Amino acid sequence: MTIQWFPGHMAKARREVSEKIKLVDIVYELVDARLPLSSRNPILDDIIGQKPRIIILNKSDLADEAQTKAWITYFANEGISAIPIVAQEGKGMNKILSTSKALLKEKFDRFKAKGVNPRAIRAMSIGIPNVGKSTLINRMVKKNIAKTGNKPGVTKGQQWLKFGKEIELLDTPGILWPKFEDPMIGKKLALTGAIKDTLLNMDDIALYGLAFFKENYAQQLEKRYALTKEEAQLEPPELLMRISEKRGFRDDYDRASEMVIYEIRSGKLGRFTLDMVPVSLTE
């Protein structure tokens, strides 16, 4: 199954981000902590260039904690600051301002030395759809300004917002890239909700999710669906059938698929990370 999604407003947003990047001091790149690489848009690297950035690992409460720590180390080795947050609850938000100040200290010290009056940090938030950008912004400005929702593509335009007196934030719509070179990235994004469900074959995504949990988090799969160790090792189609039977769905596999995807996304199967840091990169 090939998954592609690049609505017209995303192409427009890409152009606008390219035009506005020169106006900001720093970029907040929001990613899903469950897929720290797959939820990064590769075209943004060219747009951001050498501009200081912070990778904000949102939904870290849903991600494998050990993997999140490993990814923070990985990004640090790449020279990029990464912060785990839970925007929905406001956890970790205070680190955004302190890290921004640290990264921009030399720039603002130069301004001060030249007699330039102090001003707010100008930041831009970017990221793919449904990683929680609008929720983050609403938490930062403490008002329900940006539209939020559990569906991708809610934010359609750019807007400047004030975070107290210290940050002026330029919000941007979520931007996916025109083509996923690796089809597995499309599946990962689909499983976590970054692509509209109406564009997906839900049973294929459910089978991918079950295969991943079977391989990496079998105990969580067993616990959620009251499976024996032997049942949890069934091939994904048979596993979906068994779960469907246990939930009383009989042969309604479409309903079972939607249920499995919902429960994976909402954390009912426990914390997980789809992008795992290779052991060689953490040593």
Side-chain angles (χ1 to χ4, degrees):
M1 178 183 62
T2 301
I3 301 170
Q4 300 295 337
W5 184 46
F6 196 65
H9 78 267
M10 290 189 186
K12 179 182 178 183
R14 176 181 173 178
R15 291 193 301 271
E16 290 178 345
V17 169
S18 298
E19 294 167 0
K20 299 287 180 62
I21 192 76
K22 61 181 177 292
L23 301 177
V24 303
D25 304 306
I26 193 168
V27 173
Y28 299 151
E29 183 182 358
L30 200 64
V31 302
D32 189 321
R34 296 168 295 180
L35 48 164
L37 281 189
S38 297
S39 61
R40 295 186 72 197
N41 187 333
I43 69 174
L44 293 176
D45 281 337
D46 290 335
I47 296 173
I48 295 171
Q50 298 302 309
K51 189 79 65 173
R53 82 170 88 180
I54 300 172
I55 291 180
I56 300 176
L57 299 153
N58 192 29
K59 306 182 183 182
S60 60
D61 57 327
L62 298 175
D64 182 323
E65 195 169 9
Q67 282 295 315
T68 297
K69 289 179 180 178
W71 278 112
I72 291 171
T73 299
Y74 167 83
F75 287 125
N77 290 337
E78 294 291 310
I80 303 173
S81 297
I83 300 171
I85 71 163
V86 183
Q88 193 72 43
E89 301 174 9
K91 292 182 178 179
M93 303 284 290
N94 59 323
K95 293 183 180 179
I96 296 175
L97 178 58
S98 60
T99 304
S100 299
K101 286 182 175 180
L103 289 174
L104 294 171
K105 185 178 186 303
E106 289 186 12
K107 178 176 183 176
F108 279 79
D109 282 349
R110 288 197 300 270
F111 285 169
K112 185 176 181 181
K114 293 177 181 179
V116 178
N117 291 330
R119 64 164 173 79
I121 293 170
R122 293 169 185 159
M124 173 187 286
S125 68
I126 59 174
I128 69 170
N130 210 32
V131 291
K133 284 197 311 93
S134 296
T135 303
L136 170 70
I137 290 163
N138 288 337
R139 278 286 178 180
M140 289 180 74
V141 301
K142 296 181 173 60
K143 293 179 182 178
N144 191 25
I145 292 176
K147 294 180 180 178
T148 61
N150 286 324
K151 57 183 179 180
V154 171
T155 306
K156 296 287 173 57
Q158 296 178 330
Q159 52 184 333
W160 282 97
L161 302 168
K162 286 192 174 182
F163 178 25
K165 295 181 179 179
E166 298 184 278
I167 294 179
E168 292 177 353
L169 184 66
L170 178 62
D171 180 31
T172 62
I175 310 173
L176 279 174
W177 51 108
K179 182 180 181 181
F180 305 134
E181 298 298 334
D182 181 354
M184 189 59 68
I185 291 178
K187 290 185 178 181
K188 291 178 179 181
L189 293 172
L191 184 61
T192 53
I195 299 173
K196 287 183 177 179
D197 287 345
T198 53
L199 300 174
L200 305 173
N201 186 332
M202 298 296 274
D203 59 346
D204 283 345
I205 301 305
L207 292 176
Y208 162 69
L210 290 173
F212 177 82
F213 269 81
K214 169 188 168 183
E215 180 70 24
N216 299 283
Y217 300 98
Q219 289 185 341
Q220 294 173 203
L221 196 61
E222 294 165 18
K223 182 178 179 181
R224 182 62 188 172
Y225 298 117
L227 300 169
T228 65
K229 291 187 181 297
E230 291 73 21
E231 287 175 324
Q233 290 306 311
L234 290 170
E235 290 302 307
E238 289 73 29
L239 184 54
L240 181 62
M241 291 172 63
R242 188 61 53 87
I243 291 172
S244 182
E245 292 169 3
K246 286 179 176 286
R247 287 295 176 93
F249 295 164
R250 296 192 179 183
D251 56 355
D252 191 348
Y253 303 125
D254 288 340
R255 184 181 174 195
S257 295
E258 291 178 3
M259 180 269 295
V260 167
I261 292 170
Y262 167 76
E263 295 199 340
I264 289 174
R265 288 176 181 173
S266 61
K268 293 185 183 298
L269 268 73
R271 298 168 72 141
F272 68 96
T273 298
L274 293 171
D275 291 339
M276 296 192 177
V277 181
V279 175
S280 60
L281 298 180
T282 61
E283 294 176 344

